[in-house]
């Protein structure tokens, strides 16, 4: 199988075509209400793709599929977010890559993913709250969320962390690939 590459990035469906790709920023169904990405093609760091496939295989054995809402995000897209909502509590300020000497795992190098679970037929599984909820409900610790949603969110977290991701406490859907070295951020248009 041919795998298209852009630096450290690969197209996820070239690696494994059993993911549901629903890049919310390639639609207007996101917190901005605007189209941010030009394509619904999911690009991701190659190592991050490999461990996401491991997690997907675990979920699949339990009767679930993985839906990807976000993976690689060009720096220009991060700038669009900042232009719309310049609030560090919800949107990271875009970096000045010319001044950077160290990097971390982020969407801007494809080493983060925003995911959820569906049943085997692609129907969404109840989770703590909708994607991009920007309040306390986004945390698994929020007791206002339904017990079923919290249980499913905890299951998602447990499996993702078992393969090398680290959950972000403020967003049940957001996971960092901490099992590989961070690479520089890029600005490939998607």
């Amino acid at each position: 199988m041919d795998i298209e590459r852009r630096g450290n990035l690969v197209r996820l469906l070239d690696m494994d075509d059993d993911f549901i790709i629903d890049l919310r920023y390639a639609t207007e169904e996101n917190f901005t209400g605007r189209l941010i990405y030009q394509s619904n093609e999911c690009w991701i760091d190659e190592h991050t793709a490999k461990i996401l496939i491991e997690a997907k295989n675990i979920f699949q054995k339990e009767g679930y599929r993985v839906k990807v809402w976000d993976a690689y995000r060009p720096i220009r897209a991060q700038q669009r977010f900042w232009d719309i909502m310049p609030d560090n509590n919800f949107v990271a300020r875009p970096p000045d890559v010319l001044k950077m000497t160290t990097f971390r795992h982020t969407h801007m190098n494809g080493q983060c993913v925003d995911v959820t679970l569906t049943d085997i037929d692609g129907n969404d599984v109840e989770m703590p709250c909708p994607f991009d909820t920007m309040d306390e409900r986004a945390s698994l610790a929020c007791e206002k969320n339904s017990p079923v949603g919290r249980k499913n969110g905890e299951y998602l977290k447990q499996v993702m962390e078992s393969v090398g991701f680290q959950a972000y406490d403020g967003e049940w859907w957001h996971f960092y690939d901490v099992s590989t070295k961070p690479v520089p951020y890029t600005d490939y248009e998607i």
Side-chain angles (χ1 to χ4, degrees), residues 21-123:
I21 306 300
D22 182 16
L23 297 185
R24 289 296 175 91
Y25 305 122
T27 72
E28 294 178 354
E29 189 182 343
N30 62 67
F31 78 95
T32 71
R34 300 178 191 174
L35 188 72
I36 302 295
Y37 298 163
Q38 301 306 307
S39 164
N40 194 44
E41 286 192 356
C42 181
W43 291 86
I44 188 169
D45 177 84
E46 186 169 7
H47 179 271
T48 308
K50 288 176 182 176
I51 66 171
L52 185 59
I53 291 166
E54 284 183 51
K56 186 245 348 156
N57 291 338
I58 294 168
F59 291 127
Q60 201 167 42
K61 287 176 187 171
E62 297 294 322
Y64 297 101
R65 293 183 69 197
V66 175
K67 181 187 287 187
V68 180
W69 283 323
D70 201 17
Y72 170 68
R73 178 184 306 153
I75 296 167
R76 69 185 80 188
Q78 191 67 38
Q79 182 65 54
R80 287 183 202 129
F81 289 151
W82 185 257
D83 292 344
I84 293 165
M85 183 181 283
D87 182 340
N88 265 325
N89 293 317
F90 299 109
V91 176
R93 180 186 296 272
D96 182 346
V97 293
L98 298 177
K99 295 180 182 177
M100 295 186 73
T101 57
T102 61
F103 298 90
R104 58 187 183 89
H105 307 99
T106 76
H107 286 293
M108 291 176 286
N109 56 15
Q111 295 179 323
C112 281
V113 292
D114 294 342
V115 296
T116 191
L117 297 176
T118 73
D119 66 17
I120 212 70
D121 296 319
N123 301 303

